[in-house]
Amino acid sequence: MQETTQRKEAEEKRRASEARYRTLFDAIDQGFCVLELRLDAPDGRIDYRVVEANPAFYDRTGFPEAILGQWLREAAPDLEDHWYETYGRVARTGEPVRFEQRSQMLGRWFNVYAFRIDSPEDHRVAVLFNDISDRKDQEELNQLLMREVDHRSKNMLSLVLAMARHTASSGADDFMERFRTRVQALAAAQDLLFRNSRKTVQLADLARSQLAHLGDLIGERIEVDGPPLALTPDATQALGMALHELATNAAKYGALSNETGRISIRWTLEGDSSTGRKFTLSWLESGGPPVAKPGRSGFGSTVTTGMVERTTGGKVSVDFAPAGLAWRLSCRDAKGVVG
């Protein structure tokens, strides 16, 4: 009787301990899983499967619960090799490792701590991790913004020279006054972009601010047309940079580098919130010097294409037609654009 009672008490304590462990395991807001490594797979490569995982594991990775117990070489064939190599090294050496790594397949960045558990021959590794994609995206954006500040400062001289050329072409009598006004407009354009970084900005205001240094050409050689549309802060920043870059290139090489070229800036917003709104923005040049595609892609294309696409979720097309540059942004879902 005494032995049976002691055994039952021990079993109850074990069940209570397991219940506490499961409660804590499931409550951890970090992803946590236990991996079983196969270091001698038939094809000679390392493989592993998830044998235990908390709810945050599935939420942070996007893996379905059906992945549990599946060998990942087969269940997730696009998963990058570096995961297998890192966990295999931990299983072999027993040395824990902490690192930050992006998974292209999952589309996320992770901060990971991996360590061996159980006996070495079990080849089991525990992994604790966080999804740090938002932080990494912000770091990348900050780096891009710093590069943009540097790029803009280098472009500023070209813009001022272009303003001087256009101002001088209209006559020398009021050159200083007109030139001073244009320089002030250029400064005001920068103020608008950064002052409204935390609230919506009308696209028409943004377009005019980025072309303010060429203000007397708006309505004559520069056409700005589209419905009232409030941009999100991120879209304001990205499209402001893109319009600035397009204007700079037009003044240096394109339609605004001569006395006859024209630019048409147009945008549309179609559909409604229930069916999804489609947004399009176009920058079309004509009448300028013949256009040729540049031999290489520089930082300007990063701003006008890469940054715009990533921020708005849209697609940019650029046509270096001989008649003039044609730049277009199309967003099937305008959520990343309209505030």
Side-chain angles (χ1 to χ4, degrees):
M1 287 288 295
Q2 184 178 4
E3 182 181 347
T4 301
T5 300
Q6 290 175 343
R7 186 174 67 251
K8 287 185 176 180
E9 288 177 350
E11 290 176 351
E12 289 176 359
K13 289 181 179 180
R14 178 178 56 80
R15 284 194 294 269
S17 177
E18 290 177 351
R20 285 195 300 272
Y21 164 77
R22 176 53 59 181
T23 299
L24 291 171
F25 186 76
D26 290 346
I28 297 174
D29 63 355
Q30 292 178 295
F32 185 77
C33 63
V34 176
L35 310 178
E36 179 184 340
L37 275 292
R38 184 162 64 180
L39 304 179
D40 54 351
D43 61 359
R45 297 186 297 173
I46 298 171
D47 202 354
Y48 70 83
R49 60 183 174 182
V50 179
V51 296
E52 195 170 2
N54 68 345
F57 167 84
Y58 302 106
D59 181 60
R60 301 293 187 271
T61 63
F63 275 127
E65 293 188 17
I67 203 74
L68 192 69
Q70 301 282 331
W71 292 105
L72 266 68
R73 288 288 188 186
E74 180 178 354
D78 294 330
L79 187 64
E80 299 83 4
D81 282 341
H82 57 72
W83 300 106
Y84 300 97
E85 294 167 359
T86 300
Y87 297 144
R89 186 166 57 253
V90 173
R92 283 195 181 98
T93 66
E95 296 181 4
V97 61
R98 186 183 299 276
F99 60 94
E100 293 183 355
Q101 185 66 58
R102 174 177 170 79
S103 171
Q104 194 69 32
M105 188 199 80
L106 298 175
R108 308 182 189 193
W109 272 92
F110 299 100
N111 180 296
V112 183
Y113 179 60
F115 53 97
R116 190 171 69 188
I117 59 174
D118 299 333
S119 59
E121 58 270 17
D122 289 330
H123 296 158
R124 292 203 169 200
V125 173
V127 181
L128 185 67
F129 65 92
N130 273 321
D131 182 349
I132 58 171
S133 303
D134 290 343
R135 175 169 68 81
K136 284 294 185 178
D137 287 344
Q138 188 60 49
E139 289 176 358
E140 185 176 350
L141 179 59
N142 289 341
Q143 291 176 358
L144 184 60
L145 290 176
M146 291 302 296
R147 290 177 60 196
E148 171 63 14
V149 170
D150 178 65
H151 185 65
R152 281 200 174 204
S153 65
K154 292 176 180 176
N155 268 346
M156 197 62 66
L157 180 58
S158 296
L159 281 171
V160 172
L161 291 175
M163 285 190 291
R165 185 177 65 251
H166 284 292
T167 305
S169 67
S170 62
D173 293 342
D174 59 350
F175 171 82
M176 288 303 300
E177 177 61 23
R178 289 169 63 85
F179 184 65
R180 181 185 62 80
T181 302
R182 282 185 166 181
V183 171
Q184 289 176 340
L186 179 60
Q190 308 306 309
D191 289 342
L192 176 69
L193 182 63
F194 291 103
R195 186 171 62 248
N196 289 280
S197 61
R198 297 302 176 194
K199 57 185 179 180
T200 59
V201 174
Q202 286 292 317
L203 179 51
D205 293 339
L206 180 66
R208 288 185 170 86
S209 76
Q210 294 304 294
L211 298 170
H213 54 292
L214 302 168
D216 57 347
L217 300 181
I218 297 177
E220 297 182 5
R221 295 174 56 188
I222 301 175
E223 179 185 11
V224 179
D225 184 47
L229 192 152
L231 299 174
T232 64
D234 287 343
T236 297
Q237 188 164 258
L239 294 181
M241 291 179 180
L243 291 172
H244 172 89
E245 187 66 30
L246 291 168
T248 299
N249 290 337
K252 292 166 67 176
Y253 315 112
L256 300 183
S257 65
N258 64 15
E259 306 305 323
T260 59
R262 302 179 64 86
I263 296 175
S264 173
I265 306 171
R266 294 177 179 271
W267 62 89
T268 61
L269 185 64
E270 302 172 349
D272 54 49
S273 56
S274 61
T275 59
R277 292 180 292 180
K278 180 179 179 181
F279 169 75
T280 58
L281 172 65
S282 62
W283 172 289
L284 306 177
E285 299 184 23
S286 61
V291 174
K293 185 176 181 178
R296 62 182 181 87
S297 297
F299 183 68
S301 64
T302 300
V303 172
T304 59
T305 301
M307 185 176 183
V308 169
E309 288 183 336
R310 190 175 69 176
T311 302
T312 65
K315 182 67 177 177
V316 171
S317 64
V318 183
D319 182 11
F320 295 91
L325 175 72
W327 178 95
R328 292 182 177 87
L329 166 66
S330 178
C331 302
R332 292 185 178 277
D333 186 350
K335 288 191 299 184
V337 177
V338 181

